[in-house]
Amino acid sequence: MPTHKSEYHRERERREQMTRKRMQEETRTDDDAEYEQCLIAYAAHIQACGMIGFMKFKEFQRDWLKQRGIMQERRLGR
């Protein structure tokens, strides 16, 4: 009987997590997508150079956004 209860509990948690994720996706903005891309780029940067803490995330984010802004301006012909 405890197995059935634990399976029920896992299924309930899974459904609650799906609901939370769906709500997050509905309220997601373009800023969230850029932040997520920057975070992924930072993780890749840390893995590539192997120096955790060498560049703080805020510094990396500023440089990354600056480079991305320049690239977007070039794409627009500015």
Side-chain angles (χ1 to χ4, degrees):
M1 191 92 168
T3 306
H4 176 72
K5 186 175 182 179
S6 67
E7 288 176 12
Y8 171 77
H9 183 67
R10 280 189 294 230
E11 179 64 21
R12 182 176 172 203
E13 285 181 346
R14 188 181 69 78
R15 288 182 184 204
E16 288 174 354
Q17 182 180 15
M18 286 174 51
T19 303
R20 283 193 305 270
K21 185 173 176 96
R22 192 176 313 120
M23 290 175 64
Q24 284 177 338
E25 289 295 324
E26 289 174 1
T27 60
R28 188 177 178 135
T29 63
D30 290 338
D31 292 339
D32 293 338
E34 279 190 357
Y35 183 79
E36 185 177 320
Q37 290 174 0
C38 183
L39 193 59
I40 291 170
Y42 181 68
H45 171 75
I46 294 299
Q47 280 186 334
C49 70
M51 302 177 90
I52 296 175
F54 175 69
M55 179 181 269
K56 302 292 183 201
F57 177 70
K58 288 293 182 186
E59 296 169 4
F60 180 85
Q61 183 182 25
R62 184 185 65 231
D63 292 343
W64 187 83
L65 289 172
K66 191 184 299 181
Q67 290 173 354
R68 185 175 169 87
I70 291 169
M71 289 176 67
Q72 287 177 350
E73 287 177 0
R74 286 182 187 159
R75 196 172 345 134
L76 294 174
R78 295 181 187 167

